[in-house]
Amino acid sequence: MYKKTLYLLLFLLLVSGCSSNRYQKLEVSATTWIGYTPLFYAKEKGWLEPLNIKLLHVSSLSENMYLYQAGNADAYVGTQYEYDVLVKNDASLIPVMLFDRSNGGDVVMSNVSIEELQKNTDAIDVYLEMDSINHTLLKDFIQKYGLQDKTINYINRDQAFISTLSTKDINKATIIVTYIPYDTELEKHGFFSIASTKDNLNLLVVDALFTRQKMFHEHKAQFIALKKLVDTAVEVLEKNPYEFYKTIKPYMMELSYEEFTQSLEDIIWLNKNLSTELKSRMEESHFPTNGLI
């Protein structure tokens, strides 16, 4: 482990001497999600600077997508939902590298049980990010539990706002679609999980870094180097989780170390080899796997 880290530092020293001439600035946008923390770790360790990579931190999945659409980011990290939306208008969009698969990290929460939702005759308030995987998760949940006949009041908010909601201020049946680390904050405010990608929702949610083919070829060396940094960060996390946590803590709201390590159980890292089964499932979902770093 330490030998690999030493090699990485030597690599960074090597590129730092010529980065200003060799690399053009590459801007990557990312949200607060447990699976993207290797990027934040690399940033805090100063690993991105020699590669002239700037990491933009945004508060919502939809903001992340709009930032990229507007040309204010060269690449973005997100799920296959954002990819499906954007590739319709830009066929050159490709996934460059994988991060993780949600295994409970995407959650449907409520202040009442599923049975109470099914019996409910009033409108149900649903807080979510509409232009994100949140919406897909909600549709899957509604279909699975037969809530199609219910009146749904969709309330489109970012997760930073949603995480401030409290059951003390709500007097009607409410659903929240969220993800780590925001679910931990909502639990403290009285909400509880009623479904997730780990147990009762069979929804495939994969996180990756995306960019246009032209952008990838222009910055290929930087993307390959970034992949090495992500892999190294994941290795640090597995060997020394507390040091990793202390480094990325500013990005994780009020998540304690215990909550952080527990949340890691809700994702599966995909930065190494893919299983044949998962690769087939991704391809069935029209998520290209050829050409991934």
Side-chain angles (χ1 to χ4, degrees), residues 48-60:
L48 302 183
E49 293 176 14
L51 298 171
N52 207 5
I53 296 175
K54 182 179 180 181
L55 187 63
L56 308 174
H57 183 212
V58 297
S59 62
S60 73

Side-chain angles (χ1 to χ4, degrees), residues 66-132:
Y66 298 147
L67 191 72
Y68 176 78
Q69 276 184 310
N72 294 320
D74 301 311
Y76 73 95
V77 288
T79 70
Q80 71 270 30
Y81 175 90
E82 293 83 28
Y83 169 75
D84 288 341
V85 171
L86 293 176
V87 78
K88 292 174 183 176
N89 296 318
D90 186 357
S92 72
L93 187 67
I94 57 169
V96 174
M97 68 180 77
L98 295 177
F99 285 85
D100 66 280
R101 173 186 177 184
S102 177
N103 189 41
D106 291 273
V107 188
V108 178
M109 306 183 77
S110 183
N111 59 339
V112 298
S113 67
I114 292 174
E115 291 75 17
E116 290 175 281
L117 289 171
Q118 290 170 330
K119 294 176 182 177
N120 185 74
T121 56
D122 297 324
I124 301 171
D125 284 348
V126 179
Y127 290 86
L128 77 166
E129 293 178 47
M130 286 292 292
D131 292 330
S132 76

Side-chain angles (χ1 to χ4, degrees), residues 19-250:
S19 61
S20 59
N21 297 321
R22 182 179 176 185
Y23 298 122
Q24 294 182 346
K25 183 162 67 173
L26 179 67
E27 295 187 319
V28 178
S29 62
T31 59
T32 302
W33 161 248
I34 194 76
Y36 305 146
T37 51
L39 290 173
F40 299 126
Y41 184 85
K43 177 184 178 181
E44 291 302 306
K45 286 297 182 181
W47 295 352
L48 302 183
E49 293 176 14
L51 298 171
N52 207 5
I53 296 175
K54 182 179 180 181
L55 187 63
L56 308 174
H57 183 212
V58 297
S59 62
S60 73
L61 291 165
S62 53
E63 180 187 359
N64 203 30
M65 185 169 64
Y66 298 147
L67 191 72
Y68 176 78
Q69 276 184 310
N72 294 320
D74 301 311
Y76 73 95
V77 288
T79 70
Q80 71 270 30
Y81 175 90
E82 293 83 28
Y83 169 75
D84 288 341
V85 171
L86 293 176
V87 78
K88 292 174 183 176
N89 296 318
D90 186 357
S92 72
L93 187 67
I94 57 169
V96 174
M97 68 180 77
L98 295 177
F99 285 85
D100 66 280
R101 173 186 177 184
S102 177
N103 189 41
D106 291 273
V107 188
V108 178
M109 306 183 77
S110 183
N111 59 339
V112 298
S113 67
I114 292 174
E115 291 75 17
E116 290 175 281
L117 289 171
Q118 290 170 330
K119 294 176 182 177
N120 185 74
T121 56
D122 297 324
I124 301 171
D125 284 348
V126 179
Y127 290 86
L128 77 166
E129 293 178 47
M130 286 292 292
D131 292 330
S132 76
I133 194 68
N134 285 181
H135 194 217
T136 305
L137 198 73
L138 177 65
K139 288 195 295 184
D140 193 61
F141 174 77
I142 287 174
Q143 182 176 0
K144 183 176 179 66
Y145 292 102
L147 302 176
Q148 297 92 329
D149 63 335
K150 304 299 179 183
T151 301
I152 303 294
N153 180 25
Y154 295 91
I155 304 174
N156 185 25
R157 297 289 188 275
D158 64 40
Q159 294 297 335
F161 173 86
I162 291 173
S163 66
T164 66
L165 298 174
S166 173
T167 55
K168 294 179 181 178
D169 305 318
I170 294 174
N171 56 11
K172 62 183 298 187
T174 300
I175 293 173
I176 293 175
V177 188
T178 187
Y179 50 88
I180 298 169
Y182 300 103
D183 62 329
T184 302
E185 195 68 19
L186 286 162
E187 283 180 0
K188 296 173 184 177
H189 297 168
F191 294 95
F192 53 89
S193 173
I194 55 175
S196 78
T197 48
K198 189 172 190 174
D199 40 45
N200 39 1
L201 296 178
N202 191 35
L203 182 66
L204 178 66
V205 180
V206 176
D207 291 285
L209 184 146
F210 302 90
T211 192
R212 298 177 180 88
Q213 290 178 358
K214 185 175 184 292
M215 185 66 64
F216 174 71
H217 291 300
E218 289 176 354
H219 296 268
K220 188 172 182 178
Q222 286 159 287
F223 282 118
I224 291 174
L226 181 61
K227 171 69 168 120
K228 291 178 181 177
L229 296 181
V230 168
D231 290 347
T232 300
V234 173
E235 289 179 12
V236 172
L237 170 59
E238 293 171 343
K239 298 290 184 179
N240 193 348
Y242 186 66
E243 192 275 334
F244 186 96
Y245 166 76
K246 286 194 300 181
T247 303
I248 56 91
K249 191 177 185 298

